[in-house]
Amino acid sequence: DKSVTCSANCLAASPVLDAFVHANAVRNNNSSRFGKYLEIQFGASGGIEGAMTFEYLLERSRVVQQAHSERNYHIFYCMCVGLDASQKSALDLGGAQEYDYLKGGDCYSVPGIDDVSDFIAVQQAWDVLSFKPDEQQRILKILAAIMHLGNVSFEQSESSSGMEATAVSNKAALQLAAKHMEIPVDQLEHCL
């Protein structure tokens, strides 16, 4: 039944959206960092026939910087504690404290938020929404690349023409970011 599938998909989308757009803020442990308009279409029988999300406005600056006692988006912390050891190894991930993009607010866990069960809910939602395993893995690789990219640091250097320049000083983080983006390291370094 199309209505039942549509309803299940609408419900399943919630944990995914929550993990990717909610963050711990000073006044709210599960603060929504986006604006959306959800339009649901109903059929003549009253069942859900379709749904669309409009005006997805994400607070992008949160990815790279958080205020004290705030966290980045929940999905990053969910991955750090929710992935099993082999998945973390494949993505070259450690604990949240190891990533500059996650430690800016010095807040790694939040009362009332269970990152492990939230991550399980995201994975189950991906299955309900018919995300193929390779699509799920690509999403995780992109998220891992973002975490590794945050650890890339720079130092002052000089170009071949004697001009002031910068150079990547942490090649290991650059290599991990490039690996999970599936692009050559030199191309990523050039872009940075």
Side-chain angles (χ1 to χ4, degrees):
D1 179 339
K2 182 179 176 183
S3 180
V4 173
T5 302
C6 230
S7 294
N9 285 348
C10 287
L11 291 172
S14 185
V16 175
L17 286 173
D18 288 351
F20 278 82
V21 301
H22 287 155
N24 177 57
V26 173
R27 296 184 183 178
N28 183 342
N29 288 350
N30 201 27
S31 180
S32 177
R33 311 315 296 168
F34 74 110
K36 73 172 180 175
Y37 171 75
L38 179 63
E39 181 180 293
I40 300 175
Q41 294 95 31
F42 294 93
S45 66
I48 296 175
E49 297 278 325
M52 294 177 65
T53 301
F54 296 96
E55 301 300 325
Y56 195 88
L57 305 170
L58 189 62
E59 180 191 25
R60 292 180 297 230
S61 63
R62 178 163 298 272
V63 173
V64 297
Q65 183 177 2
Q66 307 85 45
H68 182 68
S69 299
E70 293 190 348
R71 291 198 328 172
N72 204 319
Y73 293 104
H74 293 320
I75 190 64
F76 295 113
Y77 304 91
C78 290
M79 285 176 62
C80 288
V81 296
L83 289 169
D84 66 36
S86 67
Q87 291 170 310
K88 284 178 78 170
S89 176
L91 295 169
D92 301 293
L93 290 178
Q97 301 87 339
E98 298 176 41
Y99 302 97
D100 289 346
Y101 282 173
L102 305 187
K103 62 185 179 183
D106 195 29
C107 180
Y108 304 102
S109 63
V110 177
I113 294 179
D114 182 345
D115 291 321
V116 174
S117 40
D118 287 351
F119 189 67
I120 292 168
V122 167
Q123 290 180 307
Q124 290 170 342
W126 282 340
D127 290 337
V128 171
L129 294 168
S130 302
F131 281 60
K132 295 179 183 103
D134 65 308
E135 293 170 326
Q136 295 178 33
Q137 188 60 29
R138 283 196 303 253
I139 292 168
L140 295 174
K141 287 181 79 157
I142 291 167
L143 294 169
I146 291 168
M147 287 190 265
H148 292 302
L149 195 57
N151 286 352
V152 174
S153 53
F154 300 89
E155 62 189 5
Q156 187 173 346
S157 68
E158 197 173 284
S159 71
S160 57
S161 62
M163 301 287 294
E164 238 181 60
T166 59
V168 172
S169 60
N170 183 349
K171 297 283 187 181
L174 179 73
Q175 290 169 342
L176 290 173
K179 171 185 172 183
H180 296 296
M181 289 179 180
E182 299 180 5
I183 60 174
V185 176
D186 60 331
Q187 284 184 5
L188 178 57
E189 185 172 17
H190 178 75
C191 290
L192 296 174

